[in-house]
Amino acid sequence: MPANPNDQPTILALETSSGACSAALLHQGAITQHLELAPRRQGDLLLGMLDALLKAAELKLSEVDVIAFGQGPGAFTGVRIGTAVAQGAAFGANRPLLGISSLAGLAHAGWRHYGGGEQRLFAAIDARIGEIYCGAFAVNGQGQAQPLGSETVTTPEKLTVPEIAVTHGVGNAWALYDEPLRARIDLAQAQIASTIHGEAQDIAALARWSLDQACAAELAQPVYLRDQVAAIPGSALLDSAPVAA
Amino acid sequence: MRVLGIETSCDETGVAVYDSERGLCAHAVYSQTEIHAVYGGVVPELASRDHVRKTLPLIRQTLTEAELSPEQIDGVAYTAGPGLIGALLVGAALGRALAWAWEVPAIGVHHLEGHLLAPFLEDKPPPCPFIALLVSGGHSQIIHVPEVGIYQLLGESVDDAAGEAFDKTAKLLGLPYPGGPQLARLAERGDPTRYRFPRPMTDRPGLNLSFSGLKTYTLNALQQTLGERDDTEQVHADIARAFEEAVVDTLVIKCRRALESTGVPRLILAGGVSANRRLRERMAAAMQPLGAELYYPRAEFCTDNGAMIAYAGWRRLAAGHQQPLAITPRPRWPLTDLVPLA
């Protein structure tokens, strides 16, 4: 596997954690991508997209250096489809697998949207039941993202953020919680883009910087952030009702 | 032809390799029962999450045990439905992607076809035609199988599945989830003459089943004995026995009726409840006067497993069926919608 981005690694990437389904191939320094806004249709589309990318580049899956996937947080089902497809592909082709934060991917999409350079982005997406998944990232001129603090799931009201001057806010949470977010984040100079999604090309671009973290397929797992998804009978809050076996 | 089978439709992760020449090469099942026990039922989101953790390690383990390299696998079969959508998606996405990477055909298997064909994993497989009694936590059906791939529904439960009734009644008796098998053990110590529960829907023609009313009888029997008897443990055993007798008797009556009305001289038992010892014994006894044969898989292939999916997948792949490059599980998928093999 190439040790640094200058070696022009071949990376096959996918991102299904939002309402979009996308697959991208980074090969010989150039990126190609298929993307569809297709809530709940990722299963129909994803493998066909990956297959078409490889065929167009006349590559075999076994010839890619790394398979990278957006590992969440995001829609649970979307994250799992992406993870399972990435696992199956990586195991089947005996290729290393690399999970990339979907929030970092979103921040990178924002960085592209706003023309590159040095940016500090706050990525936040709707996590339902009044909560958001969010994280802050510094992205440098080459598009390398550094997390500023840890990613969290929280209500906008309980959000605590690193004391940084955010240059850009990205993600659909900004459309839902603009006011409470603005009350907590230093946004003096910030621009907000709430309609941006993280795409597979962002996952591929970020993967270049962490190739050494690629691992065996089964070790790459989804990141949900929300771990309380069911309540024991008799306790409060039932998110997910049990069904008969 | 060697087929890798993957089962993730509910709370068991199952993986197996079936070889059309040598039979079953290896299989492994991981049960999530402990994860769901505290919730008193399967929590779909937790089931899905655990399948993502367990499926690939089980695939690796199964290939190692079978002493097979990936190049020796000719097809991938996975459960495509019916079942929990999130759980199905994990096995379907992983299995379909794996087949794509291996450049071999894939097939989405109907979970119940898997169960129905489980007896074919045994040394003496049943010839067709046969009548199948499929009894599990999710299904209770009587099916006419003129040949593999053609399934005619003769009757089914109008309410609770047999396994569901076992689990719910076990809960009423204070047994921890999933209580079905424990209820059967408790029933061993029960006095069969102490209580008599009805045999639902046996007094009318037809092959449909109903088990939800037995819960009411259980509750009534429990309440009746409050204050009358102080040997609580024996009361529970007696009620468990009465319940089990009623379910088994009902199933025997209906299966006998199915054999008589169709003239088919062969019955197979499939699904988790078919591991029940009393059901197997009673059914075997009922077959004798009819001159009919009884078949059932070993206990580990009665409950959800990858071996039955690998086998059913092989049958379909060998007949030329294939799943295109899309992941399309069907959480609700009537068995009668299946296309014939040939």
Side-chain angles (χ1 to χ4, degrees):
Chain A
M1 185 194 320
N4 67 65
N6 298 328
D7 288 345
Q8 296 210 339
T10 296
I11 299 172
L12 185 65
L14 55 98
E15 173 59 290
T16 55
S17 69
S18 71
C21 176
S22 58
L25 179 68
L26 180 63
H27 182 53
Q28 295 172 342
I31 197 133
T32 46
Q33 175 171 272
H34 292 300
L35 179 143
E36 273 194 52
L37 288 175
R40 287 181 289 277
R41 286 197 57 223
Q42 289 119 334
D44 292 347
L45 300 169
L46 183 57
L47 278 168
M49 288 179 169
L50 293 169
D51 194 59
L53 287 169
L54 291 174
K55 285 210 169 90
E58 295 180 349
L59 278 176
K60 283 184 165 296
L61 180 60
S62 56
E63 291 173 312
V64 308
D65 294 305
V66 166
I67 295 168
F69 70 106
Q71 67 183 155
F76 294 162
T77 297
V79 170
R80 270 194 294 273
I81 290 174
T83 305
V85 165
Q87 282 185 340
F91 178 78
N94 200 20
R95 298 284 78 207
L97 187 52
L98 179 57
I100 298 288
S101 158
S102 294
L103 285 172
L106 172 59
H108 189 274
W111 175 84
R112 279 191 295 112
H113 178 76
Y114 287 112
E118 299 219 347
Q119 299 180 13
R120 288 177 307 279
L121 300 107
F122 192 80
I125 55 173
D126 181 22
R128 300 194 184 175
I129 58 169
E131 294 186 323
I132 59 172
Y133 300 120
C134 60
F137 300 86
V139 183
N140 69 19
Q142 283 89 50
Q144 184 177 14
Q146 283 294 336
L148 304 166
S150 54
E151 300 178 1
T152 53
V153 56
T154 177
T155 61
E157 290 74 21
K158 288 185 187 154
L159 176 67
T160 56
V161 289
E163 294 200 359
I164 51 155
V166 167
T167 58
H168 301 90
V170 286
N172 64 2
W174 290 96
L176 294 165
Y177 303 108
D178 188 72
E179 209 171 296
L181 288 177
R182 282 178 186 277
R184 274 156 197 85
I185 304 173
D186 180 359
L187 286 169
Q189 309 293 322
Q191 292 172 285
I192 306 295
S194 63
T195 57
I196 287 177
H197 289 290
E199 300 174 10
Q201 61 167 312
D202 300 301
I203 301 300
L206 292 173
R208 289 179 301 150
W209 303 95
S210 49
L211 292 173
D212 57 337
Q213 286 162 41
C215 59
E218 59 263 54
L219 299 179
Q221 288 288 321
V223 171
Y224 300 105
L225 291 187
R226 177 179 291 147
D227 291 320
Q228 185 62 42
V229 292
I232 292 167
S235 67
L237 187 100
L238 251 177
D239 262 351
S240 183
V243 299
Chain B
M1 187 183 201
R2 286 189 205 91
V3 177
L4 177 81
I6 303 170
E7 155 64 30
T8 64
S9 69
C10 190
D11 61 343
E12 258 112 25
T13 316
V15 176
V17 177
Y18 183 83
D19 182 325
S20 57
E21 305 295 317
R22 296 189 301 153
L24 191 65
C25 301
H27 91 106
V29 175
Y30 168 80
S31 173
Q32 304 177 353
T33 300
E34 272 181 42
I35 291 173
H36 303 289
V38 289
Y39 301 99
V42 176
V43 181
E45 176 60 22
L46 295 181
S48 304
R49 289 185 177 198
D50 209 43
H51 287 307
V52 176
R53 280 190 291 267
K54 295 302 190 317
T55 308
L56 196 46
L58 272 189
I59 290 172
R60 206 184 274 278
Q61 176 191 327
T62 304
L63 289 173
T64 304
E65 282 172 15
E67 297 180 1
L68 290 171
S69 65
E71 297 76 40
Q72 293 172 286
I73 302 296
D74 306 302
V76 178
Y78 50 83
T79 306
L84 300 171
I85 179 64
L88 289 167
L89 262 171
V90 174
L94 214 162
R96 190 64 197 85
L98 191 53
W100 172 66
W102 281 345
E103 299 177 3
V104 299
I107 184 78
V109 170
H110 194 294
H111 181 74
L112 301 184
E113 181 169 55
H115 275 300
L116 288 179
L117 301 186
F120 288 78
L121 291 163
E122 303 303 339
D123 289 338
K124 193 181 154 237
C128 292
F130 57 81
I131 300 295
L133 172 67
L134 181 63
V135 270
S136 70
H139 301 89
S140 294
Q141 298 183 335
I142 298 171
I143 299 154
H144 177 217
V145 185
E147 58 184 89
V148 170
I150 298 179
Y151 307 107
Q152 295 158 348
L153 186 65
L154 301 179
E156 64 183 331
S157 177
V158 297
D159 40 56
D160 290 354
E164 192 181 359
F166 262 92
D167 288 343
K168 285 179 175 175
T169 302
K171 195 174 177 184
L172 294 176
L173 295 176
L175 298 170
Y177 173 87
Q182 299 196 52
L183 182 144
R185 274 195 293 281
L186 183 62
E188 296 293 318
R189 291 187 276 120
D191 175 355
T193 62
R194 189 66 186 76
Y195 302 96
R196 183 175 166 84
F197 285 10
R199 276 52 174 158
M201 297 182 76
T202 53
D203 58 351
R204 69 190 85 169
L207 295 170
N208 279 345
L209 302 154
S210 165
F211 295 112
S212 71
L214 292 175
K215 290 196 304 279
T216 316
Y217 275 85
T218 301
L219 265 183
N220 288 346
L222 275 171
Q223 273 159 3
Q224 235 172 50
T225 45
L226 273 180
E228 272 180 34
R229 293 173 65 180
D230 49 12
D231 51 342
T232 311
E233 225 174 282
Q234 189 57 45
V235 170
H236 284 189
D238 294 346
I239 291 173
R241 182 62 182 267
F243 169 83
E244 193 187 51
E245 291 281 345
V247 173
V248 167
D249 224 22
T250 304
L251 293 174
V252 167
I253 292 167
K254 295 282 179 170
C255 285
R256 200 163 50 208
R257 202 178 279 178
L259 293 176
E260 283 168 350
S261 65
T262 57
V264 172
R266 225 164 277 117
L267 180 72
I268 73 144
L269 306 179
V273 179
S274 71
N276 182 282
R277 195 179 59 82
R278 201 176 307 280
L279 176 65
R280 290 177 169 200
E281 286 174 3
R282 289 289 171 78
M283 207 62 91
M287 292 303 104
Q288 278 184 343
L290 296 173
E293 295 174 308
L294 181 67
Y295 296 82
Y296 44 76
R298 71 195 88 159
E300 62 185 321
F301 295 152
C302 290
T303 44
D304 291 353
N305 64 85
M308 66 185 196
I309 301 304
Y311 179 83
W314 166 63
R315 293 296 299 252
R316 295 234 159 233
L317 286 169
H321 297 229
Q322 276 194 38
Q323 162 73 24
L325 205 53
I327 301 147
T328 48
R330 294 179 65 176
R332 283 168 295 278
W333 184 6
L335 187 63
T336 44
D337 276 9
L338 268 178
V339 291
L341 272 190

